[in-house]
Amino acid sequence: MHTPIPKYWFDGNPLITSLFNGLSVSIPEIERFIVGSAKDALPHVKNKELEKAVAILTHEEEAHARVHDTYNNLLRKQGYQISKHEAFEHSVAAFFNKQSIKTRLVVCLCSEFFTAVLGRHLVEAKIYNVPGVDSRMSALWTWHSYEELHHRGTAFDLYLDQGGGYFRRAGLMIILTIRWMVAHFPACIAIFFQSKAPVDFKMFLRNLNFILGPRGFYTAVIVNWFIFFKPGFHPKKDIRLEEGLDPELHHFHVEKHFVEVVEAA
């Protein structure tokens, strides 16, 4: 028998739990978009090493989409209404799927930039080492973070291989950042209020350091966002790791166990 994943799985904290849950809502659609765009670009790739890197990217992103589909099903079982947020993500993906392959790859590399920056922050700040964090959710987010770091440069390399330039990626990053904020913050807020947790201003103050402190969740994105606009930016070079990646750590194989837990709920 599997113990159900608690509603406030992040150390009993409804606010931080809602932040992660809000992230999950958007993940399956963008991961499938990345897979589709990479596969569409692949026939034009002549570099064998890049072909191998794209195969790893698509394999890992397909797994992320499946796991976060299951994660979002868990949210529904817990009583959250997330369909309109998922529908918004679907409509955005449908719009960009009609654009040129270069534009689609910019959407991919910008999304990969955000996930790599957040992944690095979550791993290096040891966010998941809090004793009260549910071990299954900790494994899921750690696994996802490591794999995003593992392939953080592939979409960027694919864009360059297709002849993509600076101004397209810089201009679209501004648009896509606004698009991300428009989707992410309403989803987090809606999930928090649907959790029926008491609205306590002191709770927001207690969590302010986690969210916007010197090593805060969103602080990591804000600081690195400006680095993206350097003309010579590359994820492998500019999203560095303090300790490096253990090549085995991203192979958690959490998918089967996580699906079993959610289906048993």
Side-chain angles (χ1 to χ4, degrees):
M1 290 290 293
H2 296 289
T3 305
I5 294 171
K7 194 167 189 176
Y8 307 140
W9 58 262
F10 195 98
D11 195 26
N13 188 319
L15 183 61
I16 305 303
T17 300
S18 298
L19 187 155
F20 282 100
N21 290 349
L23 276 178
S24 182
V25 168
S26 66
I27 286 174
E29 200 66 54
I30 187 58
E31 300 289 41
R32 282 189 279 268
F33 179 88
I34 291 169
V35 170
S37 300
K39 287 183 175 179
D40 286 347
L42 194 56
H44 307 289
V45 173
K46 304 302 180 188
N47 184 314
K48 294 297 181 184
E49 289 304 311
L50 183 54
E51 285 183 359
K52 292 177 185 177
V54 170
I56 292 170
L57 169 71
T58 56
H59 172 75
E60 292 179 346
E61 299 294 44
E62 284 170 343
H64 299 167
R66 290 193 301 269
V67 169
H68 282 275
D69 276 333
T70 302
Y71 187 146
N72 294 344
N73 285 337
L74 171 65
L75 296 181
R76 276 184 276 272
K77 285 186 175 185
Q78 291 178 335
Y80 294 106
Q81 303 296 318
I82 60 173
S83 296
K84 72 174 184 178
H85 303 290
E86 292 176 310
F88 176 78
E89 295 296 337
H90 180 76
S91 66
V92 171
F95 170 79
F96 279 111
N97 266 322
K98 297 174 184 176
Q99 310 309 311
S100 69
I101 190 62
K102 288 181 185 177
T103 295
R104 290 168 63 193
L105 289 173
V106 173
V107 176
C108 297
L109 70 87
C110 288
S111 300
E112 294 290 85
F113 167 80
F114 286 121
T115 54
V117 167
L118 285 172
R120 179 184 65 176
H121 170 67
L122 295 170
V123 169
E124 290 184 345
K126 305 189 187 317
I127 297 299
Y128 308 117
N129 288 10
V130 177
V133 175
D134 184 89
S135 61
R136 294 150 303 180
M137 300 304 284
S138 173
L140 184 152
W141 282 108
T142 304
W143 160 77
H144 193 160
S145 295
Y146 270 111
E147 291 202 338
E148 291 298 337
L149 289 164
H150 183 231
H151 63 239
R152 67 190 183 278
T154 304
F156 200 97
D157 287 337
L158 195 51
Y159 175 66
L160 295 178
D161 184 77
Q162 302 298 302
Y166 173 80
F167 292 105
R168 186 193 298 257
R169 76 166 172 88
L172 277 171
M173 173 53 101
I174 296 171
I175 295 170
L176 292 167
T177 300
I178 296 168
R179 163 265 181 276
W180 181 72
M181 291 190 294
V182 166
H184 173 64
F185 293 120
C188 293
I189 292 167
I191 287 171
F192 174 75
F193 281 108
Q194 288 179 41
S195 74
K196 302 207 169 32
V199 179
D200 180 359
F201 184 67
K202 290 181 180 178
M203 178 181 65
F204 286 92
L205 291 178
R206 287 195 301 271
N207 289 286
L208 193 59
N209 189 57
F210 180 95
I211 297 170
L212 285 172
R215 291 178 64 83
F217 190 85
Y218 294 114
T219 308
V221 177
I222 295 166
V223 170
N224 286 277
W225 189 81
F226 292 97
I227 297 172
F228 180 89
F229 293 93
K230 292 194 312 182
F233 169 84
H234 192 283
K236 286 283 190 181
K237 179 183 69 177
D238 293 295
I239 304 177
R240 297 178 180 176
L241 303 171
E242 290 178 3
E243 301 174 3
L245 272 178
D246 183 322
E248 296 301 318
L249 282 178
H250 65 90
H251 293 297
F252 278 106
H253 302 296
V254 302
E255 182 177 356
K256 184 174 183 292
H257 179 63
F258 187 73
V259 170
E260 288 175 353
V261 171
V262 172
E263 288 182 347

